[in-house]
Amino acid sequence: MTSTHFASLYTISLIFILFFSTSLADIVPSTTPLPPENACNTSLDPKYCKSVLPTTGGRQNIYGYCRSSLGQSLWSAKKFAALIDQYLKGSATLTKSAIQALEDCQLLAGLNVDFLQSTSGTINMTQTLQNMQTDYLHSLLSAVVTNQQTCLEGLQATASAWNVGNGLYTPLSDGSKLYGVSLGLFNRGWGQKVNMGKWGRGRKLLFSDTESGRHGRLPLSLSSQHSEVFEKASGRKLLQSSSDTVVVRGIVVVNPNGSGNFTTISGAVAAAPNKTVITDGYFIIYVVSGVYEEYVNIDKNKQNIMMIGDGINQTIITGNRNVADGSTTFNSATFIVVGQGFVGVNITIRNTAGAIKNQAVALRNGADLSTFYRCSFEAYQDTLYTHSMRQFYRDCDIYGTVDFIFGNAAVVLQNCNLYARLPLQGQFNALTAQGRTDPNQNTGTSIHNCSIKAAPDLASNNGSTQTYLGRPWKEYSRTVYMQSFIDSLIDPAGWRAWSGNFALSTLNYSEYNNRGPGSSTANRVNWPGYSVIDSTNATKFTVTSFILGNNWLPATGVPYIGGLL
């Protein structure tokens, strides 16, 4: 094993901070009793909301109503999870595609139980939440609604599964409405974010950048039990700093030639400790350059993993699952991450199924507080599935055709390159298909200081393919492009309808101060939900405001811009 293979490790510089600070603003809901119809007036379905609120014991405040609704939601989630388990027990009579769709629902239902237990347990203990706690619970409840919708769509898209599982439709539908009530009541009580921290430029560069010639400082000070391992492996001495301490739980190396700790990435992930906390440090998996033909799954128990490769097109993870060959979209991903606090650096993730195979995901991300830095995601339709929770992408490349950045996370892509590829004949390109189904969800896609260009195959096709900034996958789809370079490949209309007038008045599509030949808004769509926004509104979609990045991104060591440029 050579010191070259550990060069990426030496470039790491992590500064750990607590996620929760005593200085955070408290959010206190009103304790004034109010009638159910008033409590429900911000819910997506006020009539249904009123029907599930308590009718005895007199009027309650918003906290009491929300607590009651969450109790019902948790009971419904547990019941639905048990029902899915029953269906799968009879799997001997099911088709492979039906089993896959039901297994997706099983995973999602289990997450919903976890999320609702966490939310209910927190607000049952207090009416006063700190701002970061509020945003976390808001994200959990937003994800619960998304998970339920994903399960439903997976069953509907798989004919054999729907024929078997159409008895799930009523509990799915009832659960979705009930979860929406809980989300609406929570948002009514606690859903006002407070911008925290200084705006400015965010963190300085803490990883070295050999391609641009920039280098970040390396104030590494590992605990003694890990510094010896690190120095022996890398052949380097650590730079000491009394003010900056890096806590690392462990470092393992993946090398196919057998000279590392593991020969597969999945083997290293399996060895990572379960349910860690960030203050105990990252479990670092260094993946030596090479092509890894495997499907990687960072499940919910594998938290605070940092995976570092040797660079884009050096460390490559590849697979080819796709819908045409029987996979669900949800499970077609080459790389799946659910475990909170994941950080990916210097890795290429591909789905090589090709445009002909329709939906084929490279990365599916449902991990809260997850970050990808200097990574590349390559596929055609549905490349990057930003499924749920809070996410950040910095200096990444994303290649695709139809809806190639889609999902319902609260996500910021910053300083990234979005490359539209050549689709199948007769297809058009849509860079985004955001999936917000409820206006109370804190989700949306923010594209900040990115570059939107044609990939070489599309660029050489003489502009015959229509390419759009996005289209509304769901009724309350929300996407904003801010301070980005937009090349001439983008159609002057900018955006494309999904079907007829669907969502055109309920979506939230915005542009702010973009540049480049495709950035002119003179001939953009005139939908009620589209607007050119000012700096005040654009600020709402920055790292600091939209995903409260100042409170968790510094721990990753990844650079970011907190506010507008």
Short mmCIF file of all heavy atoms in Angstrom, two decimals, residues 366-398:
data_model
loop_
_atom_site.label_atom_id
_atom_site.label_comp_id
_atom_site.label_asym_id
_atom_site.label_seq_id
_atom_site.Cartn_x
_atom_site.Cartn_y
_atom_site.Cartn_z
N GLY A 366 -31.96 10.16 0.82
CA GLY A 366 -32.98 10.51 1.79
C GLY A 366 -32.37 10.73 3.15
O GLY A 366 -33.03 10.55 4.17
N ALA A 367 -31.11 11.14 3.17
CA ALA A 367 -30.35 11.30 4.41
C ALA A 367 -30.39 12.74 4.88
O ALA A 367 -30.01 13.65 4.12
CB ALA A 367 -28.91 10.85 4.23
N ASP A 368 -30.80 12.96 6.10
CA ASP A 368 -30.82 14.31 6.64
C ASP A 368 -29.40 14.80 6.88
O ASP A 368 -28.50 14.04 7.24
CB ASP A 368 -31.60 14.34 7.96
CG ASP A 368 -31.99 15.75 8.37
OD1 ASP A 368 -32.13 16.61 7.47
OD2 ASP A 368 -32.15 15.99 9.58
N LEU A 369 -29.19 16.09 6.65
CA LEU A 369 -27.89 16.74 6.86
C LEU A 369 -26.79 16.03 6.07
O LEU A 369 -25.67 15.82 6.55
CB LEU A 369 -27.53 16.76 8.35
CG LEU A 369 -28.60 17.31 9.30
CD1 LEU A 369 -28.11 17.28 10.74
CD2 LEU A 369 -29.02 18.73 8.91
N SER A 370 -27.10 15.68 4.83
CA SER A 370 -26.13 14.99 3.98
C SER A 370 -25.48 15.96 3.01
O SER A 370 -26.08 16.96 2.59
CB SER A 370 -26.80 13.85 3.21
OG SER A 370 -27.92 14.32 2.48
N THR A 371 -24.25 15.65 2.63
CA THR A 371 -23.45 16.55 1.81
C THR A 371 -22.66 15.75 0.78
O THR A 371 -22.09 14.70 1.10
CB THR A 371 -22.44 17.33 2.68
OG1 THR A 371 -23.13 17.96 3.75
CG2 THR A 371 -21.71 18.38 1.87
N PHE A 372 -22.62 16.25 -0.44
CA PHE A 372 -21.74 15.70 -1.46
C PHE A 372 -20.88 16.84 -2.01
O PHE A 372 -21.39 17.90 -2.37
CB PHE A 372 -22.54 15.05 -2.59
CG PHE A 372 -23.11 13.71 -2.23
CD1 PHE A 372 -24.32 13.63 -1.57
CD2 PHE A 372 -22.43 12.54 -2.53
CE1 PHE A 372 -24.86 12.39 -1.22
CE2 PHE A 372 -22.95 11.30 -2.19
CZ PHE A 372 -24.17 11.23 -1.52
N TYR A 373 -19.57 16.58 -2.05
CA TYR A 373 -18.61 17.60 -2.45
C TYR A 373 -17.69 17.04 -3.53
O TYR A 373 -17.09 15.97 -3.36
CB TYR A 373 -17.80 18.04 -1.23
CG TYR A 373 -16.67 19.01 -1.50
CD1 TYR A 373 -16.88 20.17 -2.25
CD2 TYR A 373 -15.40 18.79 -1.00
CE1 TYR A 373 -15.87 21.07 -2.48
CE2 TYR A 373 -14.36 19.68 -1.23
CZ TYR A 373 -14.60 20.81 -1.97
OH TYR A 373 -13.57 21.70 -2.20
N ARG A 374 -17.62 17.74 -4.64
CA ARG A 374 -16.76 17.34 -5.77
C ARG A 374 -17.04 15.90 -6.18
O ARG A 374 -16.12 15.08 -6.33
CB ARG A 374 -15.29 17.56 -5.42
CG ARG A 374 -14.96 19.03 -5.15
CD ARG A 374 -13.47 19.23 -4.92
NE ARG A 374 -12.72 18.90 -6.14
CZ ARG A 374 -11.40 18.79 -6.20
NH1 ARG A 374 -10.69 18.97 -5.09
NH2 ARG A 374 -10.80 18.51 -7.33
N CYS A 375 -18.32 15.62 -6.38
CA CYS A 375 -18.75 14.32 -6.87
C CYS A 375 -19.43 14.49 -8.23
O CYS A 375 -19.84 15.59 -8.60
CB CYS A 375 -19.72 13.65 -5.88
SG CYS A 375 -18.94 13.12 -4.35
N SER A 376 -19.57 13.39 -8.95
CA SER A 376 -20.23 13.40 -10.25
C SER A 376 -21.33 12.34 -10.25
O SER A 376 -21.12 11.21 -9.79
CB SER A 376 -19.24 13.12 -11.38
OG SER A 376 -19.88 13.15 -12.64
N PHE A 377 -22.49 12.72 -10.77
CA PHE A 377 -23.63 11.79 -10.86
C PHE A 377 -24.02 11.70 -12.33
O PHE A 377 -24.38 12.70 -12.95
CB PHE A 377 -24.79 12.32 -10.01
CG PHE A 377 -24.37 12.70 -8.62
CD1 PHE A 377 -24.18 14.03 -8.28
CD2 PHE A 377 -24.15 11.72 -7.65
CE1 PHE A 377 -23.76 14.39 -7.00
CE2 PHE A 377 -23.73 12.08 -6.38
CZ PHE A 377 -23.54 13.41 -6.06
N GLU A 378 -24.00 10.49 -12.87
CA GLU A 378 -24.14 10.32 -14.32
C GLU A 378 -25.19 9.27 -14.65
O GLU A 378 -25.11 8.12 -14.20
CB GLU A 378 -22.80 9.91 -14.92
CG GLU A 378 -21.67 10.90 -14.62
CD GLU A 378 -20.30 10.40 -15.05
OE1 GLU A 378 -20.25 9.36 -15.74
OE2 GLU A 378 -19.30 11.03 -14.69
N ALA A 379 -26.20 9.68 -15.41
CA ALA A 379 -27.23 8.77 -15.92
C ALA A 379 -27.98 9.55 -17.01
O ALA A 379 -27.46 10.53 -17.56
CB ALA A 379 -28.15 8.29 -14.81
N TYR A 380 -29.19 9.13 -17.29
CA TYR A 380 -30.01 9.82 -18.28
C TYR A 380 -31.30 10.30 -17.61
O TYR A 380 -31.32 11.36 -17.00
CB TYR A 380 -30.26 8.92 -19.49
CG TYR A 380 -29.03 8.76 -20.34
CD1 TYR A 380 -28.06 7.80 -20.03
CD2 TYR A 380 -28.80 9.59 -21.44
CE1 TYR A 380 -26.91 7.68 -20.79
CE2 TYR A 380 -27.64 9.48 -22.20
CZ TYR A 380 -26.70 8.52 -21.87
OH TYR A 380 -25.56 8.40 -22.62
N GLN A 381 -32.36 9.51 -17.65
CA GLN A 381 -33.59 9.94 -16.98
C GLN A 381 -33.50 9.64 -15.49
O GLN A 381 -33.15 8.54 -15.08
CB GLN A 381 -34.80 9.21 -17.59
CG GLN A 381 -36.13 9.65 -17.00
CD GLN A 381 -37.33 9.07 -17.75
OE1 GLN A 381 -37.19 8.50 -18.82
NE2 GLN A 381 -38.51 9.25 -17.18
N ASP A 382 -33.82 10.65 -14.67
CA ASP A 382 -33.87 10.50 -13.21
C ASP A 382 -32.51 10.21 -12.59
O ASP A 382 -32.35 9.29 -11.77
CB ASP A 382 -34.86 9.40 -12.81
CG ASP A 382 -36.30 9.79 -13.07
OD1 ASP A 382 -36.54 10.90 -13.57
OD2 ASP A 382 -37.19 8.97 -12.80
N THR A 383 -31.51 10.98 -12.92
CA THR A 383 -30.16 10.74 -12.43
C THR A 383 -30.03 10.90 -10.92
O THR A 383 -29.57 9.99 -10.21
CB THR A 383 -29.17 11.71 -13.11
OG1 THR A 383 -29.24 11.55 -14.52
CG2 THR A 383 -27.75 11.47 -12.62
N LEU A 384 -30.41 12.07 -10.42
CA LEU A 384 -30.19 12.43 -9.01
C LEU A 384 -31.54 12.54 -8.32
O LEU A 384 -32.31 13.47 -8.57
CB LEU A 384 -29.43 13.75 -8.91
CG LEU A 384 -29.19 14.32 -7.51
CD1 LEU A 384 -28.43 13.33 -6.63
CD2 LEU A 384 -28.45 15.65 -7.58
N TYR A 385 -31.82 11.59 -7.43
CA TYR A 385 -33.10 11.51 -6.73
C TYR A 385 -32.90 12.11 -5.34
O TYR A 385 -32.51 11.43 -4.40
CB TYR A 385 -33.52 10.04 -6.64
CG TYR A 385 -34.96 9.78 -6.25
CD1 TYR A 385 -35.46 8.48 -6.29
CD2 TYR A 385 -35.82 10.79 -5.85
CE1 TYR A 385 -36.78 8.20 -5.95
CE2 TYR A 385 -37.13 10.52 -5.49
CZ TYR A 385 -37.61 9.22 -5.55
OH TYR A 385 -38.91 8.95 -5.20
N THR A 386 -33.16 13.40 -5.23
CA THR A 386 -33.08 14.08 -3.93
C THR A 386 -34.40 13.82 -3.21
O THR A 386 -35.27 14.69 -3.14
CB THR A 386 -32.82 15.58 -4.11
OG1 THR A 386 -33.85 16.15 -4.92
CG2 THR A 386 -31.46 15.82 -4.75
N HIS A 387 -34.53 12.64 -2.63
CA HIS A 387 -35.83 12.14 -2.21
C HIS A 387 -36.46 12.95 -1.08
O HIS A 387 -37.62 13.36 -1.16
CB HIS A 387 -35.71 10.67 -1.80
CG HIS A 387 -37.02 10.06 -1.38
ND1 HIS A 387 -37.41 9.96 -0.06
CD2 HIS A 387 -38.02 9.53 -2.11
CE1 HIS A 387 -38.60 9.40 0.00
NE2 HIS A 387 -39.00 9.13 -1.23
N SER A 388 -35.71 13.20 -0.01
CA SER A 388 -36.31 13.81 1.18
C SER A 388 -35.23 14.32 2.13
O SER A 388 -34.04 14.06 1.94
CB SER A 388 -37.21 12.80 1.91
OG SER A 388 -36.50 11.60 2.19
N MET A 389 -35.67 15.05 3.17
CA MET A 389 -34.81 15.62 4.21
C MET A 389 -33.93 16.75 3.65
O MET A 389 -34.15 17.23 2.57
CB MET A 389 -34.00 14.53 4.91
CG MET A 389 -34.85 13.42 5.53
SD MET A 389 -36.12 13.97 6.71
CE MET A 389 -35.12 14.49 8.09
N ARG A 390 -32.89 17.16 4.42
CA ARG A 390 -32.09 18.34 4.08
C ARG A 390 -30.74 17.92 3.50
O ARG A 390 -30.03 17.12 4.09
CB ARG A 390 -31.90 19.20 5.32
CG ARG A 390 -33.21 19.78 5.86
CD ARG A 390 -33.06 20.34 7.25
NE ARG A 390 -32.82 19.31 8.26
CZ ARG A 390 -32.68 19.55 9.56
NH1 ARG A 390 -32.74 20.79 10.01
NH2 ARG A 390 -32.48 18.56 10.40
N GLN A 391 -30.40 18.51 2.34
CA GLN A 391 -29.23 18.07 1.59
C GLN A 391 -28.47 19.26 1.01
O GLN A 391 -29.05 20.31 0.75
CB GLN A 391 -29.66 17.14 0.44
CG GLN A 391 -30.54 15.98 0.85
CD GLN A 391 -31.00 15.14 -0.33
OE1 GLN A 391 -30.45 15.22 -1.43
NE2 GLN A 391 -32.02 14.33 -0.10
N PHE A 392 -27.15 19.04 0.77
CA PHE A 392 -26.32 20.08 0.18
C PHE A 392 -25.33 19.44 -0.78
O PHE A 392 -24.71 18.41 -0.47
CB PHE A 392 -25.56 20.85 1.27
CG PHE A 392 -24.65 21.92 0.75
CD1 PHE A 392 -25.17 23.04 0.10
CD2 PHE A 392 -23.27 21.83 0.91
CE1 PHE A 392 -24.34 24.04 -0.38
CE2 PHE A 392 -22.42 22.83 0.43
CZ PHE A 392 -22.96 23.94 -0.21
N TYR A 393 -25.19 20.04 -1.97
CA TYR A 393 -24.25 19.57 -3.00
C TYR A 393 -23.38 20.76 -3.41
O TYR A 393 -23.89 21.83 -3.74
CB TYR A 393 -25.00 19.04 -4.22
CG TYR A 393 -25.88 17.85 -3.91
CD1 TYR A 393 -27.11 18.02 -3.28
CD2 TYR A 393 -25.48 16.56 -4.23
CE1 TYR A 393 -27.92 16.94 -2.98
CE2 TYR A 393 -26.29 15.47 -3.93
CZ TYR A 393 -27.50 15.67 -3.31
OH TYR A 393 -28.30 14.60 -3.01
N ARG A 394 -22.08 20.53 -3.40
CA ARG A 394 -21.14 21.61 -3.70
C ARG A 394 -20.09 21.12 -4.71
O ARG A 394 -19.50 20.05 -4.54
CB ARG A 394 -20.44 22.07 -2.41
CG ARG A 394 -19.25 22.99 -2.59
CD ARG A 394 -19.64 24.43 -2.84
NE ARG A 394 -18.43 25.24 -3.04
CZ ARG A 394 -18.34 26.53 -2.79
NH1 ARG A 394 -19.39 27.19 -2.33
NH2 ARG A 394 -17.22 27.19 -3.00
N ASP A 395 -19.89 21.91 -5.78
CA ASP A 395 -18.86 21.61 -6.78
C ASP A 395 -19.06 20.23 -7.40
O ASP A 395 -18.09 19.50 -7.64
CB ASP A 395 -17.46 21.72 -6.17
CG ASP A 395 -17.12 23.12 -5.70
OD1 ASP A 395 -17.89 24.04 -5.98
OD2 ASP A 395 -16.08 23.28 -5.03
N CYS A 396 -20.31 19.86 -7.62
CA CYS A 396 -20.62 18.55 -8.20
C CYS A 396 -21.03 18.69 -9.66
O CYS A 396 -21.46 19.75 -10.11
CB CYS A 396 -21.75 17.87 -7.42
SG CYS A 396 -21.30 17.35 -5.75
N ASP A 397 -20.90 17.59 -10.42
CA ASP A 397 -21.36 17.51 -11.81
C ASP A 397 -22.55 16.57 -11.86
O ASP A 397 -22.49 15.46 -11.31
CB ASP A 397 -20.26 16.98 -12.72
CG ASP A 397 -19.02 17.85 -12.73
OD1 ASP A 397 -19.15 19.07 -12.47
OD2 ASP A 397 -17.92 17.32 -13.01
N ILE A 398 -23.64 17.01 -12.53
CA ILE A 398 -24.82 16.17 -12.67
C ILE A 398 -25.18 16.09 -14.14
O ILE A 398 -25.41 17.13 -14.78
CB ILE A 398 -26.01 16.70 -11.85
CG1 ILE A 398 -25.62 16.87 -10.37
CG2 ILE A 398 -27.19 15.74 -11.94
CD1 ILE A 398 -25.39 18.31 -9.97
#
